[in-house]
Amino acid sequence: MWLPKYSTRLPAVWQLFLLLQFLWLSPAAAKKDKPDISSHRFDNAPSNFFYFDDSNTLLLHDREAGLVHRSDDAGKTWDKVDIDGGKAWDMWRHPYDNQKAYIMGKGSTHWHTNDQGKTWKDFEIPKARPSLFRAPLAFHAKDSKKILIHGEICRIGGLIDCREVTFYTEDGFEKVAKLRENTRGCIFAHATPEFKTGDDDKNDDRVICVTTGRISFDRRQHRLAVSSNFFQDEQEPNLEGDRTVQGIINIAVVKGYIVAAARAPNTDELAMYVTDDASTWHRAVFPSDSRIKEDAYTVLESTSYSIEVDVMTVDPPNPMGVLFTSNSNGTYFTKNIAHTNRNVNGIVDFEKVQNIQGIVLVNVVDNWKEVEGSFGRAEKELKSQISFDDGRTFKDLTTDKKSLHLHSVSEMNNVGRVFSSSAPGLVMGVGNTGKFLKPYDEGDLYVSSDAGLTWTQALEEAHKYEFGDQGSILVAIYDEGPTDVIQYSLNYGKKWHKVDLPEGKIKAKALTTTPDSTAMKFFLWGIKGGGSGSQHWVFSIDFEDMHEEKCSDKDFEDWTARVDEDNKAICVMGRKQTYRRRKPDADCFIREKKFEEIEPEFEKCKCTKEDFECDYNFVRSKDGKDCVRDGPLPDPKGVCKGDTKKYKASSGFRKIPGNGCEGGEDLDKEVERDCEDTLKPIVSGEINTEKTSFPGKSFRGYYYLERTESSSSSDKASKDETVIMRTDNSKVYITRDHGKTWDQILKDEEIKDIYPHPHFNDVCYFLTPSKTVHYTINRGDTFGHFEAKSEPTRDRDLQALAFHADYKDWLIWTGAVDCDKKGECHNDAWYSTDRGGNWEYLRRFVRKCEFIKEEGRNKKEKLVYCEQFKDEKLGGPLELQASDNWFADKQTKFESIVDFATMSEFIIVASKDQTDGGSLKVDASVDGQTFADALFPSNFNVPIQKAYTVLDSHTHAVFMHVTVGNEKDAEYGSIIKSNSNGTSYVLSLDNVNRNTPGYVDFEKMLGLEGVALVNVVANVEEAVKGTGKKLKTMITHNDGAEWSLLKAPQNDPEGKSYECKTDDVASCSLHLHGYTERRDPRNVFSSPSAVGLMMAVGNVGEYLTTKSEKTSDTFITRDGGFVWQAVKKGNYMWEYGDQGSIIVIVRDTVATDEIFYSLDEGREWIPYKFTDKKVNVAILSTVPSDNSLNFLLWGREEDSDSEVVTFNLDFSQLKERSKQCKLDENNPNSEDSDYYLWEPKHPAQENHCLFGHIAQYHRKIPERECFNGRSIQHLHNIAKHCECTRSDFECDYNYEPAKDGSCKLVAGLEPPDHSKICKDDPNKISYFKPTGYRRVPLSTCKGGNELEKYESKEVPCLGHETEYEKAHRGIGGFWIFILGVVLPVGIASAVGYWVWRNWHGKFGSIRLGGESG
């Protein structure tokens, strides 16, 4: 998203970095016939310069030299500002106080002035440098002493950990205090003069920040935090109803509005939220056929009564957009004009004529169909258009009855505004006549004196230009090459005069004056010469001493700003606008020395339909003439009672706030409405069932294309629950309503496979046996197709398509080649950046190729890994090759690998050990560029490592299963766990069960930190001899540091005691059937939206028994696996709905005609008969987020062998789920809240501390009869950070747990040599000796028993003893952890701690290597 910065008078969307304000000089004694021009040479190019408003003082910044220069005589003479030389990194003017400016240094020292730069005073930002990610300063529009400072605090030279911190001052930097850590940008609510809070006194200091999640740095968890007392306390505002919203990516103030943008996972579509009082937020609603995408919309220069937004419709390299305008509260947007021109940086060809309401100039793409069809590759043909009615209608610019086209904002050739100034009605531009816009150097200079209605040619060829003295002076300079003259006009461009420049020919870089164009002085910067001999000159051009007199009353005329085709005044916002301006041919200057802008006179108009907009809860009708209801009307309390059937309410219209019309139409007059209009739809109280039959014997795949939280918010879109399904006869069907109705799609095609895009839920591909591939990019609304370069790969273990995490149209195709010839059948890979429109060769003889880009990992968008057979010979070694330029060149990372896995936080490579050809080794990378050897525990003795299974990497550590026993049907291995960069491993658990294909009985609990379940082989020695495995289930609550058996419930589902004694956990515990026995890996124990809940099938006893109706029961836990309850005899499948407020179960492997459902987390189960014929149910499913009240049963009726069926089960009509649950995020324990705060705990902990903190989660009170609706941010708060205990640590490398739980050095081994850091980095002066412990990556504990510090000794590096004594006294525990554990592994390790904070990605088990399966 690209958002403008704002100043007091001129929106900086057009100013870029140069905000200039000019001044008057004292008149000379003798009048002259041309302007005075003085010059000054600088050593380097100015990086920024500006005038203090209403003064002669100018500041100029030379970033290359780190200097700031000041002139107090309008640029004739210059002095260096007296600060530490060479340290000026940036320079800012206060937008609302003409006395203040700021110089930012690179470090923690900066400077400010309160007297226009005469004197400067330094100030410190404690331990921080200015932020590299956003503007360093944010200003308060009402109190210039209040400023926010965005900084970052970095440790170890910025390599490992940089965290953003915002500071503030209330007294103009006399004191600076920390506002908040982990911010991603903050603003004052009063960031513009136009913004008004609901209570100015109360909210005068209100600050709004984008912050990281409470325990996660993942962008998907970013949120808003608001405080009115500088974050002594804070609140998270409700953005959508009574729900907070995660995934906030940006905020900005747009005149009288604050805009926030949010993105949900698995979509590029954004939701926009708007407030006009900093308290109440609304979601902005765009037309149903329009979507806003990240980095694809621009908030434009807006008015005080609407927001202008341009939404990109065609992606780069030649992007286009659509222009939308909001209603007065910024919530409903309507389309103004399509095919607007924008550049790749999000800058749109859009400018409002300054100070005149309603006139807008835009450039549109005339050949938009060609550009759309070429994926933005066709060259755009631009046309200029103008609107005189706030964008409702547009027409061509004309000169001498010819169409005129002007270069606009997307290709800035000067500073300041492009076309207009505050000079009333005067507009200039460079362009040409003809069919469309030509290159800039083929343009001429044109001028209009009637605000763009008519144009005349002012000068031939392109020129930079400026307005002065309220338009009585126009200045221009040739802009197609060097020149030694300037030109000026004193009669609106009719006649021009030339003046020589004193330094010879220069190439003009900038020509400007004060933003309000009231001054008679101009500023010119140009470059003389070229190459290393270039000279930078600035010129002061002064018209004040010319002989023209000051204008008198007779020299002015009344000019009406807005007229129709008959030259009659037009009303805008209920008023006519008239200016008093100098006549074009008057021989005088206005000479207004107070820099006062010309203010228009207003005449009120009678009200018409254009002066009204739709009221709350109303939207425009399709024809745009009326406002119609959008849902039920608010209930008029105390009115609709008894026999009362009518009441007075809104007509649907309201006058636009700020509109000045009087009389005329009275559209907002209240009308009589029916009391029935206030009623909500009546629910039936029943479960609705819809059955659909399909020809076929089985379902071969089903895929939910789930609408995300930030997807289009129209009523139709909000009910969209799209599922795509394929049967065994290769036919494909789609439903948009979760299986109530189905339609066959792609009827004439044989669909071999379906590939949903893993990163964008709206996109899905359909493969045929041939080269033809079909696709949808809008969840099945429309379909397209492309031709690949070959048929899909024939390797069943490989995917034909690989996808990019950020660019949904970037694809890699792996296809079968030479399979029908005598040559070797092999795979080649191609890539496309336009969704299959064009393909280019990537590599030949590959096994697979993948994009490596993940969010937070590597900024090289084109980085690709390929597994290629060496020398293109099948059967040879597989090389891992990398390239970031489509293999124009390559780098061989490994010469002989088995496979690689790209997890959410790491890239893991299994390669053949060059020293032992029969064994494998593991390497890890966090950035895709640098790999480090994975150091396995020294007490982990597997002489020949045959197979690895990468299990999970979502908790900032890799869990990996290393196969120890590989005998068929007796496979088992050890789970080892890495540090935060995936390179140093410790043993987590031995003898963990694995099956022949390589899958492992390991499962993380979703939605809760650090909980995982495994099955271990209890009889390893007997199992490898063929007696069969005996499995036990174990659980960890601290991310694998400690494991324990599951305590069994005392009673079975019928209330009877189990045969074994449940107090004896060793011989009587709960055992669960795990991952290796699942038909569908999507059927997991838990749900991220149902925090604390898990369901499973298993048995109570000494070991896990065979899964059967007689021996198995179905169990549930509500506290994260601590306490379990048996709920049903036999095997059941389960699904969670509405974030766990409803659970549905159905018999597994047994024909049935009923399901059971629970509305209270499994305490009570209610039967429901869904069919008259018994069905063998193969699958029970719902949306992946588990946030629907609809479910699908997939199966086959008992008496049918030619048809399969689906049953939609719709629970939305249940009376118990007819009311929205109430959640008050800021007062979660209120009496009327439907939620309570739940704190998970570790079984061995007396308090609720887990991973060094007490986390509080929102959970619905089970007995409350309501539905959750929009996804809840379940994590409410981190109630406190706890003191460290043993459970916050695991054993370090070369250490192992002793019987007493302590970490002891493995016999015969040495502690890790941490002095290696001194050799790896000669700048290091010290290191720490190991203690045997390392912190669990998830832990945030502070103080207490910090075992990684305990008895640790800091040692100076050899040769750095003196430096050590000076610089490293009293170093803290954080540094011990970082220096002692992370850095020795090398560069891959060093960046690990920082990188994991920003990652998210795929979930699942990935097998690397192995001989069987």
Side-chain angles (χ1 to χ4, degrees):
M1 177 176 71
W2 185 89
L3 291 165
K5 215 169 38 177
Y6 291 89
S7 66
T8 54
R9 298 182 179 180
L10 176 61
V13 62
W14 315 127
Q15 295 179 26
L16 297 180
F17 300 102
L18 307 178
L19 308 175
L20 307 177
Q21 301 185 348
F22 222 89
L23 59 149
W24 283 88
L25 291 176
S26 299
K31 297 295 182 181
K32 303 175 181 178
D33 60 358
K34 63 180 181 180
D36 277 336
I37 302 179
S38 59
S39 61
H40 186 92
R41 180 180 171 184
F42 285 99
D43 294 335
N44 302 300
S47 57
N48 189 8
F49 48 91
F50 58 75
Y51 279 87
F52 289 99
D53 196 13
D54 303 340
S55 78
N56 290 325
T57 305
L58 169 69
L59 293 182
L60 184 148
H61 180 214
D62 177 355
R63 175 171 288 179
E64 186 173 344
L67 300 174
V68 172
H69 302 268
R70 180 179 184 267
S71 171
D72 58 8
D73 55 8
K76 289 185 178 181
T77 60
W78 295 85
D79 296 303
K80 293 179 182 177
V81 167
D82 185 18
I83 63 170
D84 291 347
K87 294 185 178 181
W89 173 250
D90 205 354
M91 182 176 73
W92 291 78
R93 177 181 66 89
H94 198 296
Y96 310 116
D97 189 328
N98 70 348
Q99 298 295 310
K100 292 181 169 64
Y102 310 91
I103 298 172
M104 308 302 292
K106 290 183 179 181
S108 60
T109 302
H110 317 283
W111 299 266
H112 69 98
T113 178
N114 295 320
D115 54 11
Q116 297 189 342
K118 291 180 183 178
T119 60
W120 294 84
K121 186 176 181 180
D122 63 356
F123 63 94
E124 295 283 331
I125 306 300
K127 300 180 181 179
R129 67 188 187 192
S131 173
L132 300 178
F133 302 101
R134 59 202 83 258
L137 302 177
F139 301 96
H140 194 291
K142 293 176 62 178
D143 187 343
S144 63
K145 292 183 178 180
K146 295 175 180 176
I147 300 174
L148 304 178
I149 310 99
H150 294 122
E152 57 185 27
I153 297 176
C154 298
R155 305 190 186 203
I156 310 186
L159 176 64
I160 289 184
D161 179 29
C162 285
R163 70 181 188 277
E164 290 191 67
V165 182
T166 299
F167 301 85
Y168 73 97
T169 179
E170 295 182 83
D171 51 16
F173 291 108
E174 292 300 317
K175 295 180 181 178
V176 176
K178 184 186 294 184
L179 181 80
R180 194 188 192 284
E181 293 189 2
N182 298 322
T183 56
R184 295 296 184 266
C186 298
I187 59 172
F188 283 107
H190 280 295
T192 64
E194 295 88 351
F195 193 88
K196 307 294 182 184
T197 61
D199 184 341
D200 279 6
D201 292 333
K202 178 180 178 182
N203 299 326
D204 184 66
D205 292 332
R206 176 160 289 192
V207 176
I208 304 173
C209 294
V210 179
T211 71
T212 59
R214 290 183 171 90
I215 58 173
S216 171
F217 293 91
D218 190 329
R219 322 177 38 186
R220 295 173 297 179
Q221 309 298 320
H222 288 184
R223 58 193 183 91
L224 285 187
V226 178
S227 177
S228 295
N229 55 13
F230 296 106
F231 284 87
Q232 293 178 35
D233 54 59
E234 67 179 61
Q235 294 181 333
E236 185 173 1
N238 296 329
L239 301 188
E240 190 143 346
D242 64 353
R243 296 289 193 270
T244 57
V245 174
Q246 291 180 318
I248 304 295
I249 62 172
N250 212 340
I251 52 172
V253 182
V254 187
K255 291 217 170 179
Y257 309 90
I258 298 176
V259 179
R263 176 186 172 183
N266 296 102
T267 183
D268 58 353
E269 190 172 358
L270 298 183
M272 182 187 293
Y273 299 91
V274 180
T275 179
D276 56 8
D277 62 4
S279 297
T280 303
W281 294 76
H282 302 276
R283 179 167 179 171
V285 178
F286 287 79
S288 58
D289 61 345
S290 302
R291 304 178 353 159
I292 55 175
K293 298 186 294 183
E294 185 173 11
D295 298 325
Y297 74 99
T298 304
V299 181
L300 301 168
E301 180 185 8
S302 300
T303 68
S304 59
Y305 51 86
S306 66
I307 305 174
E308 309 281 354
V309 176
D310 188 86
V311 178
M312 187 169 70
T313 55
V314 174
D315 294 334
N318 284 320
M320 297 188 304
V322 176
L323 178 63
F324 294 90
T325 300
S326 77
N327 61 347
S328 67
N329 64 12
T331 55
Y332 289 99
F333 284 78
T334 55
K335 185 184 296 184
N336 276 0
I337 187 169
H339 320 307
T340 51
N341 182 55
R342 51 169 38 230
N343 65 19
V344 294
N345 297 316
I347 309 298
V348 181
D349 280 348
F350 171 97
E351 182 173 295
K352 290 180 177 289
V353 173
Q354 189 175 356
N355 282 0
I356 303 177
Q357 290 181 332
I359 302 180
V360 181
L361 289 95
V362 299
N363 280 346
V364 297
V365 181
D366 191 48
N367 62 330
W368 58 271
K369 287 186 178 179
E370 181 184 358
V371 175
E372 283 184 349
S374 67
F375 286 88
R377 281 185 163 79
E379 199 67 32
K380 291 184 286 189
E381 297 177 354
L382 304 183
K383 298 182 69 172
S384 296
Q385 296 198 313
I386 190 168
S387 171
F388 292 92
D389 56 7
D390 257 343
R392 294 185 179 89
T393 60
F394 285 85
K395 62 181 182 180
D396 291 346
L397 278 63
T398 58
T399 176
D400 294 331
K401 298 182 179 180
K402 299 177 183 177
S403 292
L404 175 64
H405 314 291
L406 301 177
H407 292 270
S408 185
V409 187
S410 64
E411 46 175 333
M412 292 284 289
N413 293 289
N414 199 9
V415 297
R417 299 181 74 87
V418 176
F419 300 120
S420 64
S421 72
S422 61
L426 287 178
V427 189
M428 286 199 286
V430 173
N432 58 269
T433 59
K435 292 184 178 180
F436 50 84
L437 185 63
K438 296 178 182 178
Y440 182 75
D441 58 7
E442 296 182 30
D444 301 316
L445 180 62
Y446 290 85
V447 64
S448 171
S449 61
D450 52 14
L453 186 63
T454 60
W455 295 77
T456 57
Q457 188 184 83
L459 293 170
E460 291 184 351
E461 299 184 297
H463 287 70
K464 296 186 190 298
Y465 49 87
E466 255 303 353
F467 309 82
D469 195 37
Q470 300 181 18
S472 65
I473 305 172
L474 306 181
V475 178
I477 185 168
Y478 178 68
D479 198 28
E480 295 183 24
T483 183
D484 55 4
V485 299
I486 63 163
Q487 299 190 63
Y488 68 92
S489 172
L490 305 180
N491 58 0
Y492 292 0
K494 295 177 182 179
K495 184 179 179 181
W496 291 82
H497 310 274
K498 293 184 179 181
V499 183
D500 292 334
L501 290 170
E503 304 298 337
K505 288 190 175 184
I506 63 162
K507 177 65 176 75
K509 303 299 290 184
L511 172 65
T512 190
T513 183
T514 56
D516 58 11
S517 296
T518 59
M520 299 178 67
K521 298 176 176 65
F522 296 79
F523 181 89
L524 172 65
W525 162 39
I527 298 178
K528 183 177 182 178
S532 60
S534 297
Q535 299 176 8
H536 297 275
W537 289 90
V538 296
F539 302 85
S540 175
I541 305 168
D542 185 359
F543 286 82
E544 187 170 317
D545 288 342
M546 287 184 65
H547 55 68
E548 279 76 6
E549 298 296 329
K550 181 177 175 64
C551 296
S552 62
D553 189 63
K554 65 180 177 59
D555 298 311
F556 289 88
E557 65 180 359
D558 288 331
W559 177 75
T560 302
R562 295 272 306 278
V563 295
D564 59 18
E565 294 179 355
D566 298 325
N567 211 36
K568 293 182 179 180
I570 296 175
C571 297
V572 178
M573 286 292 286
R575 299 178 296 185
K576 295 177 182 178
Q577 206 172 6
T578 303
Y579 284 89
R580 187 80 170 159
R581 73 176 187 180
R582 198 201 73 162
K583 294 177 181 178
D585 296 318
D587 188 16
C588 62
F589 288 147
I590 297 174
R591 296 184 182 274
E592 177 55 66
K593 293 190 177 184
K594 294 182 180 179
F595 296 88
E596 293 180 356
E597 296 181 33
I598 300 175
E599 296 294 335
E601 295 182 0
F602 293 104
E603 177 186 346
K604 289 183 180 290
C605 303
K606 288 187 176 181
C607 296
T608 65
K609 204 166 191 175
E610 283 70 31
D611 298 308
F612 297 87
E613 64 181 8
C614 292
D615 203 351
Y616 293 104
N617 296 319
F618 289 84
V619 295
R620 285 285 180 184
S621 58
K622 290 183 178 180
D623 59 10
K625 295 181 180 179
D626 297 306
C627 291
V628 297
R629 284 195 297 120
D630 183 29
L633 296 179
D635 184 10
K637 294 182 179 180
V639 177
C640 290
K641 292 184 177 181
D643 296 331
T644 303
K645 296 182 179 180
K646 300 284 186 179
Y647 72 103
K648 290 283 189 178
S650 171
S651 66
F653 289 93
R654 70 169 184 168
K655 187 187 290 187
I656 299 172
N659 191 288
C661 73
E662 292 180 351
E665 295 194 46
D666 191 13
L667 297 182
D668 58 352
K669 184 178 180 181
E670 285 191 337
V671 299
E672 203 171 59
R673 293 195 176 274
D674 293 331
C675 284
E676 292 180 357
D677 292 343
T678 68
L679 300 177
K680 296 180 180 179
I682 298 175
V683 297
S684 66
E686 298 178 352
I687 301 171
N688 293 323
T689 304
E690 294 288 345
K691 170 188 170 183
T692 308
S693 300
F694 306 89
K697 294 184 178 180
S698 64
F699 297 105
R700 289 299 174 89
Y702 69 94
Y703 307 93
Y704 282 85
L705 307 186
E706 185 175 6
R707 176 184 171 273
T708 67
E709 294 285 355
S710 61
S711 298
S712 303
S713 57
S714 66
D715 184 60
K716 178 182 177 181
S718 65
K719 296 178 181 177
D720 181 301
E721 293 185 354
T722 299
V723 190
I724 291 176
M725 171 266 292
R726 183 172 72 99
T727 61
D728 61 341
N729 55 20
S730 298
K731 300 302 179 185
V732 180
Y733 301 84
I734 189 171
T735 174
R736 307 308 298 269
D737 52 16
H738 211 140
K740 295 183 176 73
T741 58
W742 292 86
D743 295 304
Q744 187 177 351
I745 56 176
L746 306 173
K747 293 182 179 180
D748 298 327
E749 297 288 342
E750 178 188 354
I751 302 303
K752 176 184 177 182
D753 212 341
I754 300 176
Y755 281 44
H757 199 300
H759 307 290
F760 296 93
N761 286 4
D762 296 344
V763 183
C764 190
Y765 292 85
F766 305 85
L767 275 61
T768 67
S770 68
K771 300 178 182 179
T772 301
V773 178
H774 299 269
Y775 63 82
T776 177
I777 60 171
N778 46 28
R779 298 198 301 276
D781 281 349
T782 59
F783 292 87
H785 72 276
F786 61 77
E787 294 294 313
K789 286 294 186 179
S790 70
E791 66 180 56
T793 176
R794 296 185 179 184
D795 293 340
R796 292 185 178 181
D797 294 337
L798 301 179
Q799 287 197 322
L801 278 173
F803 304 93
H804 197 282
D806 294 337
Y807 301 108
K808 64 183 177 185
D809 292 331
W810 287 22
L811 305 172
I812 295 176
W813 176 264
T814 304
V817 178
D818 293 338
C819 295
D820 298 326
K821 302 177 182 179
K822 293 183 180 180
E824 291 180 301
C825 181
H826 65 278
N827 293 324
D828 287 355
W830 295 261
Y831 75 92
S832 171
T833 58
D834 57 6
R835 205 185 314 134
N838 295 278
W839 292 97
E840 299 291 340
Y841 243 116
L842 198 62
R843 304 302 286 162
R844 293 175 171 84
F845 284 86
V846 301
R847 185 173 179 271
K848 70 176 182 180
C849 294
E850 287 187 13
F851 291 107
I852 300 303
K853 179 69 172 67
E854 288 278 357
E855 185 174 349
R857 178 201 300 151
N858 201 292
K859 295 181 179 179
K860 295 186 176 181
E861 309 287 353
K862 299 177 183 178
L863 183 61
V864 173
Y865 280 7
C866 284
E867 296 177 357
Q868 184 182 36
F869 289 99
K870 187 173 183 179
D871 300 327
E872 297 186 0
K873 293 181 180 179
L874 288 178
L878 269 178
E879 295 181 330
L880 182 61
Q881 299 177 355
S883 174
D884 57 14
N885 58 8
W886 307 123
F887 283 91
D889 51 58
K890 68 173 184 176
Q891 179 183 6
T892 299
K893 297 288 186 181
F894 297 90
E895 294 183 353
S896 181
I897 72 164
V898 176
D899 206 347
F900 73 93
T902 54
M903 304 296 286
S904 65
E905 299 174 354
F906 305 93
I907 302 168
I908 306 296
V909 176
S911 61
K912 293 183 179 179
D913 193 334
Q914 300 300 312
T915 61
D916 184 355
S919 187
L920 303 180
K921 64 185 291 286
V922 170
D923 291 81
S925 174
V926 295
D927 63 358
Q929 296 289 337
T930 305
F931 283 84
D933 292 339
L935 302 177
F936 282 6
S938 297
N939 58 333
F940 179 64
N941 186 20
V942 183
I944 300 180
Q945 297 166 20
K946 292 292 187 180
Y948 310 126
T949 302
V950 183
L951 301 172
D952 178 74
S953 69
H954 276 71
T955 52
H956 327 314
V958 176
F959 279 86
M960 186 183 299
H961 183 278
V962 181
T963 297
V964 177
N966 208 31
E967 291 79 6
K968 185 174 175 58
D969 296 327
E971 298 90 349
Y972 72 96
S974 297
I975 290 180
I976 56 176
K977 180 190 175 187
S978 79
N979 56 355
S980 64
N981 49 70
T983 57
S984 175
Y985 289 78
V986 294
L987 181 64
S988 179
L989 189 64
D990 278 323
N991 302 334
V992 179
N993 184 49
R994 198 207 89 177
N995 64 9
T996 301
Y999 296 108
V1000 178
D1001 276 344
F1002 172 94
E1003 183 167 329
K1004 281 291 190 76
M1005 184 176 187
L1006 304 177
L1008 200 61
E1009 302 172 281
V1011 180
L1013 293 154
V1014 298
N1015 283 336
V1016 297
V1017 181
N1019 62 331
V1020 167
E1021 293 183 2
E1022 293 83 0
V1024 296
K1025 297 177 182 178
T1027 60
K1029 299 177 185 177
K1030 293 181 179 180
L1031 303 181
K1032 287 176 173 279
T1033 299
M1034 302 188 77
I1035 191 169
T1036 177
H1037 290 271
N1038 58 357
D1039 213 37
E1042 299 168 295
W1043 295 86
S1044 59
L1045 295 170
L1046 288 180
K1047 184 172 176 58
Q1050 292 186 350
N1051 301 319
D1052 69 8
E1054 297 174 347
K1056 301 176 182 177
S1057 298
Y1058 284 105
E1059 294 180 0
C1060 61
K1061 296 181 179 180
T1062 57
D1063 291 337
D1064 183 6
V1065 178
S1067 61
C1068 183
S1069 60
L1070 175 60
H1071 310 289
L1072 307 175
H1073 295 278
Y1075 194 88
T1076 59
E1077 298 183 64
R1078 289 186 188 145
R1079 295 192 300 270
D1080 188 339
R1082 290 174 286 190
N1083 297 334
V1084 293
F1085 293 147
S1086 58
S1087 167
S1089 66
V1091 176
L1093 298 181
M1094 283 194 286
M1095 292 197 72
V1097 172
N1099 62 274
V1100 172
E1102 188 173 2
Y1103 305 108
L1104 182 66
T1105 60
T1106 304
K1107 190 176 183 180
S1108 69
E1109 282 296 304
K1110 293 183 178 180
T1111 60
S1112 300
D1113 294 335
T1114 301
F1115 299 85
I1116 192 170
T1117 178
R1118 305 177 188 90
D1119 58 5
F1122 186 46
V1123 177
W1124 291 80
Q1125 178 188 351
V1127 294
K1128 285 290 178 184
K1129 297 289 289 184
N1131 302 328
Y1132 281 79
M1133 295 179 279
W1134 59 89
E1135 276 290 359
Y1136 306 93
D1138 189 43
Q1139 303 173 63
S1141 86
I1142 182 169
I1143 307 173
V1144 175
I1145 61 175
V1146 66
R1147 297 295 290 270
D1148 189 7
T1149 68
V1150 176
T1152 184
D1153 57 3
E1154 69 176 357
I1155 57 99
F1156 292 86
Y1157 68 94
S1158 174
L1159 303 177
D1160 57 4
E1161 297 183 345
R1163 293 170 176 83
E1164 179 184 2
W1165 293 93
I1166 306 167
Y1168 170 71
K1169 186 175 182 179
F1170 64 89
T1171 180
D1172 294 329
K1173 295 182 179 179
K1174 288 196 173 184
V1175 177
N1176 288 301
V1177 178
I1179 303 165
L1180 167 62
S1181 71
T1182 188
V1183 296
S1185 67
D1186 296 324
N1187 194 25
S1188 174
L1189 287 169
N1190 282 265
F1191 299 80
L1192 267 176
L1193 299 173
W1194 310 72
R1196 187 171 67 241
E1197 292 178 332
E1198 271 192 311
D1199 57 355
S1200 174
D1201 59 2
S1202 61
E1203 283 188 338
V1204 288
V1205 293
T1206 62
F1207 292 87
N1208 165 269
L1209 305 176
D1210 184 355
F1211 290 82
S1212 63
Q1213 292 297 300
L1214 286 180
K1215 291 182 179 179
E1216 297 91 335
R1217 293 294 177 267
S1218 62
K1219 181 185 72 171
Q1220 172 88 52
C1221 297
K1222 183 176 181 180
L1223 171 64
D1224 186 346
E1225 181 74 39
N1226 298 309
N1227 188 16
N1229 295 316
S1230 62
E1231 291 184 1
D1232 58 347
S1233 174
D1234 292 311
Y1235 298 86
Y1236 70 100
L1237 293 179
W1238 175 70
E1239 298 176 355
K1241 63 179 181 178
H1242 189 286
Q1245 296 281 95
E1246 293 182 2
N1247 55 26
H1248 288 188
C1249 288
L1250 189 61
F1251 299 111
H1253 53 259
I1254 296 177
Q1256 296 178 324
Y1257 292 84
H1258 290 294
R1259 287 180 64 170
K1260 178 181 168 293
I1261 299 171
E1263 297 78 18
R1264 294 296 171 89
E1265 295 184 348
C1266 57
F1267 66 92
N1268 287 305
R1270 180 183 172 86
S1271 293
I1272 300 166
Q1273 293 186 35
H1274 285 281
L1275 179 60
H1276 167 70
N1277 188 34
I1278 300 300
K1280 63 175 280 191
H1281 289 278
C1282 308
E1283 291 187 345
C1284 298
T1285 66
R1286 173 64 179 88
S1287 62
D1288 293 300
F1289 297 88
E1290 57 195 8
C1291 293
D1292 199 357
Y1293 183 71
N1294 279 0
Y1295 290 80
E1296 64 181 354
K1299 290 182 179 181
D1300 62 359
S1302 63
C1303 294
K1304 301 294 184 183
L1305 187 66
V1306 176
L1309 298 180
E1310 295 292 329
D1313 181 10
H1314 287 183
S1315 67
K1316 184 177 181 292
I1317 184 176
C1318 302
K1319 299 176 183 178
D1320 293 341
D1321 186 352
N1323 294 321
K1324 296 301 175 189
I1325 63 175
S1326 67
Y1327 64 95
F1328 287 84
K1329 291 190 173 182
T1331 65
Y1333 297 89
R1334 68 184 188 190
R1335 190 179 296 245
V1336 174
L1338 279 177
S1339 179
T1340 63
C1341 70
K1342 299 178 181 179
N1345 192 12
E1346 294 183 278
L1347 296 177
E1348 88 272 49
K1349 294 190 207 177
Y1350 184 65
E1351 293 184 356
S1352 179
K1353 183 179 180 182
E1354 185 180 12
V1355 181
C1357 292
L1358 186 64
H1360 290 274
E1361 290 82 0
T1362 302
E1363 297 169 79
Y1364 166 76
E1365 289 297 329
K1366 291 181 179 180
H1368 278 264
R1369 293 190 179 113
I1371 195 165
F1374 173 87
W1375 293 85
I1376 295 169
F1377 172 63
I1378 293 295
L1379 294 173
V1381 178
V1382 180
L1383 283 179
V1385 185
I1387 294 299
S1389 308
V1391 296
Y1393 178 78
W1394 182 83
V1395 173
W1396 64 252
R1397 304 188 315 175
N1398 302 294
W1399 281 357
H1400 76 279
K1402 293 163 277 189
F1403 171 82
S1405 300
I1406 299 181
R1407 184 185 177 217
L1408 303 179
E1411 294 180 345
S1412 57

